[in-house]
Amino acid sequence: MNQEDRIKRLRKKLHIYNNAYYNEDESLISDFEFDMLLKELEELEKKYPQFYDENSPTVRIGGEVTKKFQSFNHNYPMYSLANTYSKDEIKEWIRRIEKKYGQNINDFNCELKFDGASINLYYEKGKLVRALTRGDGIKGDDVTSNIKTIKNIPLILNGAYPEKFEIRGEVILPIDSFNYLNSKRKEEGLPLFRNPRNTASGSLKLQDSREVAVRRLKCFFYSVVGENSFLFHSELLKKSRQWGFFIPETMKRVNSVDEIFHFIDFWENKKTELPYEIDGIVIKVNSIKVQNELDFTSKVPRWAISYKYKAERQSTRLLSVTYQVGRTGAVTPVANFEPINLSGTIVKRATLHNSDQIEKLSLRIGDYVYVEKGGEIIPKIVGIDQLRRGNFDDLIKFITYCPDCGSKLKKIQGEAQHYCKNENECKTQIIGKIQHFVSRKAMNIEGFGSERVVLLFNNGVINNIAEIYKIEIEDLVSLEGMAEKSAINLIKSIKQSKKQPFQKVLFSIGIRHVGETVASKLANHFGSIENLINSSYDDLISVEEIGEKIINSIINYFNNSQNLLIIEKLLKVGLNFKTVENNKKSNILNGKNIVISGTFENLSREKIKQLILENGGNLSSAVNSKTKIIIGGQSIGPSKKKKAEILKIPIISEKDFLEMLDT
Ligand code: AMP
Ligand code: ZN
């Protein structure tokens, strides 16, 4: 088979597997096999760029960066929907449209109203060609490259689809994906997202499509536009399922007002069991002919109406705002109010996220605030009752000093959060750092719960993470509530934790923005803590998915001498600070910083890197005074060459390098 055929076959297969998995809940192959095929395709596409296809399954990985989204007119305006909170008004709506149409209408399609961001997709000859946001209804933004990363949106259609059509849907973030995303952000010390809807619509406007690809968005479709060869809206939707679109099974065709009400009541009770958020239901006239007759007002279609559920919202009096210092120093304001009952749980506080949020609400003590809770999401303050305001004198001003250690708070440019930068002395931060260090996902020290960390800290047994490894039985047994047996066990599990691999150690030391994933990327890339400490901005930027924010945080962390001291101590007690400890072959290159430049005849760059690490060397990409050797191939970078001459650093060939290792 020639390469073009191979590429085409891979694409076809992957489209089929993808569609089966995301839209029919059916795994035709294992995730691993899928990834292998995708990888193979990616490599082939790189090798044979002449067979480029803008709808290849590899575009789902993302990669395209949009600086500014271009806007385009919609072929058909994207109207909003008339809405109501009352069943009587639904009866009235039916009476009104029957009058206008001149006959009884008793065929409706009831659908859920998905709460996300609407999107309009254009397909031509079975291919996705453009995706526009709703925008102002007339004009939307072209977010095609971001949309292509959403895995349940078909890039290529199946079956007998129309030559050219538009389809509309709602991009949503399922609740568990939202929670997952936030748990990762929490881990990395990033401000949390407020709710799934904002996150979904914000995601569509991200400049880096790779970032969109990891957010686990989905698209639910609810209308095909400009297609008149079908009699019924519900049939058209069902048909589009066969083309590859995800149409939730929850929609229901009904023939009477009673059935509409039944649908409303059913989902009012069941909506919290859905894995995504809805904010109501939509009732549509099902006959496309009748729809066309009824047409649109200047704002909304006459043939549809949405029934919205009242949100679980209550007002309550704000008593105080307190501030929490996280382990990375981020300060989060918390609103404390008179307890209320929201869908069965007693709620008395809600996060206010950051100072911007307080300013936006211009919050005062004594204000009556509206608190809402949707699904499983943490409660939030959504507004203020303007008629019942607190005293102007009680306007809340964000604190300027750390509530714990009293040092001046700082705001990092581009971030909404305030930070206490006194990271080595601020008690809450130190305790938080230790708690993080011993936690299950980090060093996984069993029997070292949060309370116990506080106990040991307060009794002066440990003052930082390095001291954990100095704890002796005697230190423990004298403490209240610590039996000898549990003391022995704790010491044992502390010892046990020394086996944790480098990536875990790197995650555990708690560099802001360095979560589990980033830590393992860094560990793989640099191979050792020395390499990471010695890395320059350029070295760091070359690591996949590592951006400005993370880099600055890493550089800051290692610029702090106290942090370096702690790492040195941890190194001494024997924690793993190298990835390749196990496959170590020799110590010939012991600690030498080595730069690779140019292309090589016999060895791949990856192989050379591996050899360097296996023989005790450190990788770095920039030439500087710490560089000991440059391994140079053909067309070695001119600036590197010049620097090497100035700094008198030897440039050796791959042959020299191999000989060096042979001795
Ligand atoms: P609204 O923004 O409240 O005027 O409601 C209109 C929006 O509801 C549309 O732009 C869609 O984004 C969204 N929507 C969600 N589910 C549906 C559905 N099943 N049918 C029509 N629109 C829907
Ligand atoms: Zn502090």
Side-chain angles (χ1 to χ4, degrees):
M1 201 186 327
N2 71 28
Q3 297 303 342
E4 185 176 8
D5 287 341
R6 176 75 191 145
I7 288 175
K8 283 189 170 157
R9 281 210 19 197
L10 277 170
R11 283 179 185 153
K12 197 163 168 192
K13 271 193 187 170
L14 286 166
H15 278 307
I16 292 171
Y17 297 149
N18 185 78
N19 183 51
Y21 186 78
Y22 285 98
N23 290 332
E24 272 142 42
D25 225 356
E26 205 180 326
S27 295
L28 300 178
I29 53 169
S30 71
D31 289 359
F32 178 75
E33 284 169 302
F34 186 92
D35 289 344
M36 293 311 283
L37 292 178
L38 191 64
K39 206 161 188 161
E40 182 183 353
L41 177 59
E42 212 180 351
E43 271 158 22
L44 283 172
E45 285 180 348
K46 235 182 243 159
K47 224 158 144 190
Y48 303 101
Q50 65 268 41
F51 305 131
Y52 173 77
D53 173 0
E54 58 186 14
N55 282 341
S56 164
T58 50
V59 303
R60 297 201 191 276
I61 304 164
E64 208 171 305
V65 175
T66 316
K67 280 271 169 291
K68 188 174 183 311
F69 294 101
Q70 242 187 313
S71 76
F72 289 94
N73 275 334
H74 294 294
N75 286 340
Y76 305 88
M78 289 184 81
Y79 292 93
S80 56
L81 288 171
N83 70 61
T84 175
Y85 288 88
S86 108
K87 287 181 178 165
D88 279 346
E89 281 183 16
I90 290 187
K91 280 189 184 158
E92 214 168 283
W93 168 67
I94 296 175
R95 235 175 279 134
R96 216 166 41 235
I97 56 176
E98 283 182 335
K99 190 163 167 227
K100 182 149 180 89
Y101 181 58
Q103 279 180 45
N104 284 354
I105 299 175
N106 43 28
D107 183 3
F108 298 97
N109 202 47
C110 294
E111 298 164 20
L112 300 183
K113 190 165 187 293
F114 316 110
D115 205 7
S118 40
I119 192 79
N120 196 23
L121 305 184
Y122 294 73
Y123 284 84
E124 277 175 31
K125 300 200 172 78
K127 284 188 179 172
L128 173 62
V129 293
R130 176 174 289 167
L132 297 184
T133 62
R134 175 159 146 193
D136 61 4
I138 304 297
K139 254 184 175 169
D141 286 337
D142 184 338
V143 290
T144 314
S145 54
N146 284 346
I147 281 295
K148 282 182 176 173
T149 67
I150 299 178
K151 303 199 175 45
N152 82 333
I153 294 182
L155 304 174
I156 305 285
L157 304 182
N158 304 316
Y161 43 78
E163 173 81 5
K164 206 171 161 179
F165 68 99
E166 291 173 30
I167 187 162
R168 290 177 180 174
E170 195 83 355
V171 172
I172 60 117
L173 185 64
I175 293 168
D176 60 354
S177 305
F178 171 78
N179 288 336
Y180 173 75
L181 211 58
N182 260 351
S183 71
K184 275 187 54 173
R185 287 177 77 83
K186 191 165 174 200
E187 202 175 82
E188 290 169 18
L190 295 171
L192 300 189
F193 290 127
R194 298 205 47 181
N195 58 44
R197 172 167 42 95
N198 288 355
T199 316
S201 64
S203 301
L204 292 186
K205 290 299 198 57
L206 288 172
Q207 292 184 329
D208 184 353
S209 59
R210 221 174 315 193
E211 171 78 3
V212 188
V214 297
R215 290 214 175 162
R216 305 183 180 185
L217 298 163
K218 280 192 172 169
C219 188
F220 293 177
F221 293 91
Y222 52 74
S223 115
V224 180
V225 187
E227 175 50 45
N228 277 322
S229 54
F230 284 78
L231 290 179
F232 301 107
H233 165 73
S234 57
E235 295 308 309
L236 181 50
L237 281 185
K238 276 189 192 155
K239 191 76 195 172
S240 67
R241 254 185 211 146
Q242 293 170 13
W243 306 334
F245 296 102
F246 183 76
I247 314 285
E249 300 280 350
T250 46
M251 70 174 191
K252 191 167 184 209
R253 188 175 180 176
V254 303
N255 300 108
S256 68
V257 181
D258 283 344
E259 279 182 287
I260 293 176
F261 289 173
H262 183 257
F263 188 87
I264 290 177
D265 295 340
F266 180 83
W267 285 108
E268 169 131 49
N269 283 324
K270 285 270 188 237
K271 72 179 198 299
T272 51
E273 289 169 30
L274 288 166
Y276 46 84
E277 291 195 326
I278 61 169
D279 65 335
I281 65 153
V282 186
I283 306 139
K284 296 174 183 171
V285 171
N286 201 29
S287 154
I288 292 178
K289 179 171 152 269
V290 182
Q291 281 191 5
N292 289 339
E293 289 275 323
L294 290 170
D295 210 12
F296 296 83
T297 71
S298 62
K299 283 197 229 117
V300 295
R302 286 197 189 85
W303 43 265
I305 191 165
S306 77
Y307 178 92
K308 291 202 171 172
Y309 295 116
K310 288 186 196 76
E312 280 152 311
R313 167 193 288 200
Q314 296 237 21
S315 78
T316 179
R317 206 163 80 94
L318 181 70
L319 300 174
S320 68
V321 171
T322 48
Y323 298 85
Q324 281 176 355
V325 186
R327 68 171 167 90
T328 62
V331 178
T332 313
V334 178
N336 303 288
F337 35 77
E338 278 167 2
I340 41 172
N341 188 329
L342 277 183
S343 52
T345 37
I346 302 290
V347 180
K348 51 186 178 188
R349 42 223 227 105
T351 166
L352 283 162
H353 302 282
N354 52 50
S355 60
D356 296 351
Q357 191 59 27
I358 294 179
E359 251 163 61
K360 211 159 75 195
L361 293 167
S362 88
L363 209 56
R364 304 174 196 163
I365 300 293
D367 277 346
Y368 276 80
V369 291
Y370 293 115
V371 185
E372 247 183 38
K373 188 165 181 252
E376 300 160 40
I377 321 298
I378 34 173
K380 59 189 174 196
I381 291 181
V382 293
I384 297 184
D385 182 347
Q386 291 301 339
L387 299 175
R388 290 197 285 177
R389 297 294 315 259
N391 290 330
F392 185 76
D393 294 344
D394 292 334
L395 196 68
I396 288 162
K397 281 209 201 82
F398 201 87
I399 48 169
T400 40
Y401 294 94
C402 174
D404 181 27
C405 71
S407 68
K408 189 142 197 203
L409 300 181
K410 296 226 169 71
K411 228 176 151 176
I412 300 174
Q413 227 189 356
E415 292 190 33
Q417 221 72 21
H418 280 78
Y419 285 96
C420 164
K421 305 284 266 185
N422 188 16
E423 56 176 316
N424 301 103
E425 281 157 51
C426 185
K427 191 174 144 189
T428 330
Q429 284 189 62
I430 300 173
I431 292 179
K433 280 197 173 77
I434 302 175
Q435 286 168 334
H436 166 74
F437 185 86
V438 303
S439 67
R440 201 174 45 81
K441 284 184 172 170
M443 296 307 279
N444 191 19
I445 304 182
E446 236 173 276
F448 216 160
S450 294
E451 300 291 316
R452 204 157 261 184
V453 171
V454 176
L455 180 75
L456 266 66
F457 181 87
N458 285 342
N459 283 284
V461 179
I462 43 172
N463 292 300
N464 59 48
I465 52 177
E467 290 176 1
I468 292 173
Y469 294 94
K470 296 260 175 288
I471 302 177
E472 313 228 347
I473 292 274
E474 298 80 73
D475 301 329
L476 297 177
V477 286
S478 60
L479 297 177
E480 205 177 308
M482 188 69 117
E484 191 172 335
K485 182 129 190 277
S486 55
I488 293 173
N489 285 339
L490 183 55
I491 301 274
K492 245 193 221 155
S493 36
I494 289 174
K495 208 163 153 203
Q496 178 75 15
S497 77
K498 291 187 185 174
K499 296 202 182 114
Q500 288 290 73
F502 177 37
Q503 69 197 64
K504 290 278 185 191
V505 177
L506 193 53
F507 169 60
S508 306
I509 57 176
I511 305 173
R512 185 189 304 153
H513 303 320
V514 176
E516 273 181 296
T517 344
V518 173
S520 92
K521 286 216 168 98
L522 291 170
N524 284 334
H525 186 93
F526 291 100
S528 75
I529 195 84
E530 286 101 325
N531 287 341
L532 184 59
I533 294 175
N534 290 329
S535 64
S536 64
Y537 184 93
D538 290 342
D539 295 332
L540 286 160
I541 198 85
S542 67
V543 187
E544 217 183 300
E545 279 179 54
I546 306 267
E548 195 93 3
K549 230 191 222 171
I550 299 177
I551 296 179
N552 287 335
S553 158
I554 293 172
I555 293 178
N556 265 337
Y557 183 90
F558 291 122
N559 272 340
N560 180 321
S561 58
Q562 302 226 39
N563 288 338
L564 294 179
L565 208 70
I566 287 178
I567 288 176
E568 215 180 290
K569 286 184 180 157
L570 291 174
L571 256 164
K572 269 198 197 126
V573 297
L575 297 201
N576 287 320
F577 278 101
K578 271 203 162 107
T579 320
V580 286
E581 210 60 53
N582 297 338
N583 353 349
K584 192 116 179 217
K585 303 235 163 81
S586 85
N587 241 337
I588 295 173
L589 304 174
N590 195 13
K592 290 193 169 85
N593 287 352
I594 302 177
V595 172
I596 312 173
S597 179
T599 53
F600 300 90
E601 241 167 76
N602 301 311
L603 300 174
S604 68
R605 286 175 81 92
E606 285 314 308
K607 183 70 198 171
I608 298 179
K609 280 187 194 167
Q610 189 193 337
L611 286 171
I612 293 174
L613 293 174
E614 282 174 356
N615 290 283
N618 300 331
L619 297 169
S620 66
S621 64
V623 177
N624 55 39
S625 60
K626 290 187 197 134
T627 311
K628 286 285 177 304
I629 301 170
I630 297 170
I631 306 175
Q634 253 167 30
S635 56
I636 169 173
S639 68
K640 286 201 174 114
K641 205 165 176 176
K642 203 160 163 206
K643 258 195 173 162
E645 274 162 24
I646 296 170
L647 297 168
K648 300 201 168 55
I649 302 165
I651 301 180
I652 66 170
S653 69
E654 57 181 314
K655 199 166 143 250
D656 298 336
F657 176 60
L658 286 176
E659 275 168 14
M660 192 169 159
L661 298 183
D662 243 1
T663 50

